[in-house]
Amino acid sequence: MPGSTTARSLHAEPTGAPELPRSAPITCRRLGLVPYEPTWRAMQRFTDSRDAATADELWLLEHPPVFTLGMSGKPEHLLAPGDIPVIQTDRGGQVTYHGPGQLVVYPLIDLRRGGLGVRDLVGALERAVIGYVSELGIEAHSRGDAPGVYVAQRKLASLGLRIRRGASYHGIALNVCMDLEPFRRINPCGYAGLEMTQLSDLVEGQSLERVTSGLAPWVLRELRLT
C-alpha cells in the first residue's frame, strides 16, 4: 500500500511526551483522501486476517463527506442529512460526520500483545490530541461522560472504536480545516446542540499535512509503539 513508513521515520519525537518503553516499529500509512466504506472493509479484513506476528498499523487519512452511524446510533440524531450519504457502521457510539479537511487516525493495534485495554486505548488517543494541540497553544480536555477532545464546550475531535479478536480498528477524527456545516445536520455523537470547532478556527496556519506530521508521533508515543 502506498504511503507507508515506520514510526521512527515519520517525524521527530515530541518533546512534551513522556518517556515510555519501546516496542516493535509500527507501520504508518498516509492514505490521503479515501472513501469511507472501502476503508472500513479493509480495516475489517486486516483485523480478521492478522495473527500474533502481524505488525500493528496506523492509518492516517481523510474521507469524502459522509455521515456514519455507530452501533448505538439512533436515526433521530440524523436531522437533515440531505445529499450526504449515511453509512451504518460497526464502531461504537452515535452519529458523526467525516469530510475533507478532517484528519482521521485509525489505530489497528493488537491490544492483547500491547497489554492495553479499551479504556487505555481511548485515553491514549485523547491524550495524544490534547498533547499535540497544547504545542499549538490550545488548551483542550477530555470528558468522562463523552469520549473525544473538547476546547471549552466545543468538540474538536470525535472518537469511536471497535475491538474484534483482541485488536482495534476505527479511531479518532480531528477537525483541522474543514467545512463544519454538515455537523449542524446532526446531533453530533447524539448530543443535541453540541457545537464543533476545528484547529484552523483556533490557530493560524493549519493544514492536513502539517497536523498529520505533528499528531502521529504523539499517538505512537501514547500507545507505546515507538
Side-chain angles (χ1 to χ4, degrees), residues 54-109:
T54 303
D56 294 326
E57 297 196 0
L58 191 71
W59 295 3
L60 303 121
L61 53 98
E62 56 185 323
H63 289 306
V66 62
F67 294 114
T68 66
L69 275 172
M71 291 187 293
S72 57
K74 298 179 179 179
E76 57 262 36
H77 293 307
L78 280 163
L79 305 178
D83 58 351
I84 297 177
V86 179
I87 296 178
Q88 179 75 56
T89 187
D90 64 347
R91 62 164 172 80
Q94 288 277 347
V95 63
T96 195
Y97 169 72
H98 298 301
Q102 180 190 67
L103 174 60
V104 182
V105 180
Y106 290 142
L108 282 71
I109 306 298

